[in-house]
Amino acid sequence: QNVAQAQELARLVETTSDLELLTPVALNIVCFRFARKGCSDESLNAINEELLLRLQESGIAVPSSTVLDGKFALRAAIVNHRTRWEDLNSLVTAAARIGMEIAAEGRR
């Protein structure tokens, strides 16, 4: 089930504006980032580091992180048998929303 959920999470990321899937999903790990057009990779790395912290502190999700080809990535390793399909939607919605908030804060 967790592998199927990872595939669904990848699909949700790919169909959500301002999110970018960074690697193909073969098993239960999904690496993605907030990636607003017009932002430099340096800016996106900073936004995604803050995004990770805010997701974790809010309790919405607890992804870890990694760096892929110089891009800071949120790393969702779906391993819990209690992960619900709705949790995937919550993570994607929150990542896009919080990422936009952080990007807007940087423009002030």
Side-chain angles (χ1 to χ4, degrees):
Q1 175 176 310
N2 291 154
V3 173
Q5 288 172 323
Q7 293 292 325
E8 175 63 7
L9 178 57
R11 186 193 69 74
L12 291 169
V13 166
E14 288 182 311
T15 59
T16 301
S17 179
D18 295 323
L19 295 184
E20 175 185 26
L21 187 65
L22 293 176
T23 59
V25 176
L27 293 173
N28 64 324
I29 298 172
V30 181
C31 294
F32 68 100
R33 71 177 183 161
F34 176 81
R36 181 122 204 228
K37 289 183 177 142
C39 293
S40 68
D41 276 338
E42 182 180 315
S43 175
L44 289 174
N45 284 346
I47 290 169
N48 281 284
E49 285 186 52
E50 180 64 22
L51 172 57
L52 176 70
L53 294 174
R54 291 189 192 185
L55 284 170
Q56 292 172 338
E57 289 172 353
S58 70
I60 293 168
V62 188
S64 61
S65 65
T66 190
V67 177
L68 300 168
D69 295 324
K71 298 174 181 178
F72 186 91
L74 304 178
R75 183 180 179 274
I78 305 172
V79 296
N80 192 321
H81 67 279
R82 291 178 292 213
T83 299
R84 298 171 302 158
W85 295 92
E86 308 87 64
D87 297 333
L88 310 175
N89 286 317
S90 296
L91 171 57
V92 167
T93 300
R97 177 183 51 78
I98 296 168
M100 290 292 287
E101 291 170 4
I102 296 166
E105 290 168 9
R107 281 184 285 214
R108 293 183 198 163

